[in-house]
Coordinates of all heavy atoms in Angstrom, one line a residue:
D779 N -6.8 22.9 -20.3 CA -6.9 23.5 -19.0 C -7.7 22.6 -18.0 O -8.3 23.0 -17.1 CB -7.5 24.9 -18.9 CG -6.5 26.0 -19.4 OD1 -5.3 25.7 -19.5 OD2 -7.0 27.1 -19.7
M780 N -7.6 21.3 -18.3 CA -8.4 20.3 -17.4 C -7.5 19.6 -16.4 O -8.1 19.2 -15.4 CB -9.1 19.3 -18.3 CG -10.2 19.8 -19.2 SD -11.0 18.6 -20.1 CE -11.7 17.5 -18.9
F781 N -6.2 19.5 -16.6 CA -5.4 18.9 -15.6 C -3.9 19.4 -15.7 O -3.5 20.0 -16.7 CB -5.4 17.4 -15.7 CG -5.0 16.8 -17.1 CD1 -3.7 16.5 -17.4 CD2 -5.9 16.7 -18.1 CE1 -3.3 16.0 -18.6 CE2 -5.6 16.1 -19.3 CZ -4.3 15.8 -19.6
V782 N -3.2 19.2 -14.6 CA -1.8 19.7 -14.5 C -1.0 18.4 -14.0 O -1.5 17.7 -13.2 CB -1.7 20.8 -13.4 CG1 -0.2 21.2 -13.2 CG2 -2.5 22.0 -13.8
I783 N 0.2 18.3 -14.6 CA 1.1 17.2 -14.2 C 2.3 17.9 -13.7 O 2.9 18.7 -14.4 CB 1.3 16.2 -15.3 CG1 0.0 15.6 -15.8 CG2 2.3 15.1 -14.8 CD1 0.2 14.7 -17.0
C784 N 2.8 17.5 -12.5 CA 3.9 18.1 -11.8 C 4.9 17.0 -11.4 O 4.5 15.8 -11.1 CB 3.5 18.8 -10.6 SG 2.2 20.0 -10.8
G785 N 6.2 17.3 -11.4 CA 7.2 16.4 -10.9 C 8.1 17.1 -9.9 O 8.4 18.3 -10.1
N786 N 8.6 16.4 -8.9 CA 9.5 17.0 -7.9 C 10.9 16.4 -8.0 O 11.3 15.6 -8.8 CB 8.9 16.9 -6.5 CG 8.8 15.4 -6.0 OD1 9.5 14.5 -6.5 ND2 8.0 15.2 -5.0
T787 N 11.7 16.9 -7.0 CA 13.2 16.5 -7.0 C 13.4 15.1 -6.5 O 14.5 14.5 -6.8 CB 14.0 17.5 -6.1 OG1 13.4 17.4 -4.8 CG2 13.9 18.9 -6.6
L788 N 12.4 14.5 -5.9 CA 12.5 13.1 -5.5 C 12.1 12.1 -6.5 O 12.2 10.9 -6.3 CB 11.7 12.9 -4.2 CG 12.2 13.7 -3.0 CD1 11.3 13.4 -1.8 CD2 13.6 13.3 -2.6
G789 N 11.5 12.6 -7.6 CA 11.0 11.7 -8.7 C 9.6 11.4 -8.7 O 9.1 10.5 -9.4
T790 N 8.8 12.1 -7.8 CA 7.4 11.8 -7.7 C 6.6 12.7 -8.7 O 6.9 13.8 -8.9 CB 6.9 12.1 -6.3 OG1 7.7 11.4 -5.4 CG2 5.4 11.8 -6.1
I791 N 5.6 12.1 -9.4 CA 4.7 12.7 -10.3 C 3.4 12.9 -9.7 O 2.9 12.0 -9.0 CB 4.6 11.9 -11.6 CG1 5.9 11.7 -12.3 CG2 3.5 12.5 -12.5 CD1 6.4 12.9 -13.1
Y792 N 2.8 14.1 -9.8 CA 1.5 14.4 -9.3 C 0.6 14.8 -10.4 O 1.0 15.6 -11.3 CB 1.5 15.6 -8.3 CG 2.3 15.3 -7.0 CD1 3.6 15.7 -7.0 CD2 1.8 14.6 -6.0 CE1 4.4 15.5 -5.8 CE2 2.5 14.3 -4.9 CZ 3.8 14.7 -4.8 OH 4.6 14.5 -3.7
I793 N -0.6 14.2 -10.5 CA -1.6 14.6 -11.5 C -2.8 15.3 -10.8 O -3.4 14.7 -9.9 CB -2.1 13.4 -12.3 CG1 -0.9 12.7 -13.0 CG2 -3.1 13.8 -13.3 CD1 -1.3 11.4 -13.6
F794 N -3.1 16.5 -11.1 CA -4.2 17.3 -10.5 C -5.2 17.5 -11.6 O -4.9 17.8 -12.7 CB -3.7 18.6 -10.0 CG -2.8 18.6 -8.8 CD1 -1.4 18.6 -9.0 CD2 -3.3 18.6 -7.6 CE1 -0.6 18.5 -7.9 CE2 -2.5 18.6 -6.5 CZ -1.1 18.6 -6.6
I795 N -6.5 17.4 -11.2 CA -7.6 17.8 -12.0 C -8.0 19.2 -11.7 O -8.1 19.6 -10.5 CB -8.9 16.9 -11.8 CG1 -8.5 15.4 -11.9 CG2 -10.0 17.3 -12.6 CD1 -8.1 15.0 -13.3
I796 N -8.2 20.1 -12.7 CA -8.6 21.5 -12.5 C -10.1 21.6 -12.5 O -10.8 21.1 -13.4 CB -8.0 22.4 -13.6 CG1 -6.5 22.3 -13.6 CG2 -8.4 23.8 -13.4 CD1 -5.8 22.9 -14.7
N797 N -10.6 22.3 -11.5 CA -12.1 22.5 -11.3 C -12.5 23.4 -12.5 O -11.9 24.5 -12.7 CB -12.4 23.2 -10.0 CG -13.8 23.4 -9.7 OD1 -14.6 23.7 -10.6 ND2 -14.2 23.2 -8.5
E798 N -13.5 23.0 -13.2 CA -14.0 23.8 -14.4 C -14.5 25.2 -14.0 O -14.3 26.1 -14.7 CB -15.0 23.0 -15.2 CG -14.4 21.9 -16.0 CD -15.4 21.2 -16.8 OE1 -16.1 21.9 -17.6 OE2 -15.6 20.0 -16.8
S799 N -15.2 25.2 -12.9 CA -15.9 26.5 -12.5 C -15.0 27.4 -11.8 O -15.1 28.7 -11.8 CB -17.1 26.2 -11.7 OG -16.8 25.5 -10.5
N800 N -14.0 26.9 -11.1 CA -13.0 27.7 -10.4 C -11.6 27.2 -10.7 O -11.1 26.2 -10.1 CB -13.2 27.7 -8.9 CG -12.3 28.6 -8.1 OD1 -11.3 29.1 -8.7 ND2 -12.5 28.7 -6.8
K801 N -11.0 27.7 -11.7 CA -9.7 27.2 -12.2 C -8.6 27.2 -11.2 O -7.5 26.6 -11.4 CB -9.3 28.0 -13.4 CG -10.2 27.9 -14.6 CD -10.0 26.7 -15.4 CE -10.9 26.8 -16.6 NZ -10.7 25.7 -17.5
S802 N -8.7 27.9 -10.0 CA -7.7 28.0 -9.0 C -7.8 26.7 -8.1 O -6.9 26.5 -7.3 CB -7.9 29.2 -8.1 OG -7.6 30.4 -8.9
E803 N -8.9 26.0 -8.2 CA -9.1 24.8 -7.3 C -8.7 23.6 -8.1 O -9.1 23.3 -9.2 CB -10.6 24.7 -6.9 CG -11.0 25.7 -5.9 CD -12.4 25.5 -5.5 OE1 -13.0 24.4 -5.7 OE2 -13.0 26.4 -4.9
W804 N -7.8 22.8 -7.5 CA -7.3 21.6 -8.1 C -7.6 20.4 -7.1 O -7.7 20.6 -5.9 CB -5.8 21.6 -8.2 CG -5.2 22.6 -9.2 CD1 -5.9 23.5 -9.9 CD2 -3.8 22.7 -9.5 NE1 -5.0 24.3 -10.6 CE2 -3.7 23.8 -10.4 CE3 -2.7 22.1 -9.0 CZ2 -2.5 24.2 -10.9 CZ3 -1.5 22.5 -9.5 CH2 -1.4 23.6 -10.5
T805 N -7.8 19.2 -7.7 CA -8.0 18.0 -6.9 C -6.9 17.0 -7.3 O -6.7 16.8 -8.5 CB -9.3 17.4 -7.2 OG1 -10.4 18.3 -6.9 CG2 -9.5 16.1 -6.3
L806 N -6.2 16.5 -6.3 CA -5.1 15.5 -6.5 C -5.8 14.3 -7.0 O -6.5 13.6 -6.3 CB -4.3 15.3 -5.3 CG -3.1 14.3 -5.5 CD1 -2.1 14.8 -6.5 CD2 -2.4 14.1 -4.1

């Protein structure tokens, strides 16, 4: 639960870091 990897319809990949104290907060 430390990071999320996402992909879109244009072929772009996004890697987000999940905040340990507030799991709803992500940083690109």
Side-chain angles (χ1 to χ4, degrees):
D779 285 343
M780 292 182 61
F781 58 93
V782 177
I783 302 176
C784 310
N786 68 15
T787 57
L788 298 177
T790 305
I791 299 284
Y792 298 97
I793 302 173
F794 290 93
I795 305 294
I796 300 172
N797 183 323
E798 287 185 51
S799 60
N800 181 354
K801 301 272 185 178
S802 293
E803 290 183 14
W804 297 2
T805 302
L806 181 60

